[in-house]
Amino acid sequence: MINGSQVYTLLLGHYSNHDQAKAALELLPQAIQQNGAFVRNFYEIEHTRSPQLKQLQ
């Protein structure tokens, strides 16, 4: 939950560094990029004020 809204995050891939992850993002279809896809470090996600991370399978 972020600001009272439920938010879903898709984690995709494991990259050695930020530049590799950004390059992979640029290979995604344009529609996904235009919807706001972004690269973020998992450490940053875990340490937000209210991450409430749950793994779905």
Side-chain angles (χ1 to χ4, degrees):
M1 299 289 285
I2 297 178
N3 297 327
S5 296
Q6 194 162 13
V7 177
Y8 298 92
T9 301
L10 170 65
L11 302 177
L12 178 67
H14 180 87
Y15 302 95
S16 297
N17 59 49
H18 191 269
D19 290 335
Q20 286 182 358
K22 289 289 279 184
L25 175 65
E26 293 173 5
L27 296 175
L28 291 174
Q30 200 64 25
I32 293 174
Q33 293 181 46
Q34 291 173 342
N35 279 330
F38 60 92
V39 172
R40 190 164 176 205
N41 182 305
F42 191 70
Y43 177 88
E44 294 171 0
I45 295 169
E46 287 183 311
H47 292 90
T48 59
R49 290 192 303 197
S50 57
Q52 297 180 356
L53 299 175
K54 295 179 184 174
Q55 183 176 359
L56 303 176
Q57 294 185 9

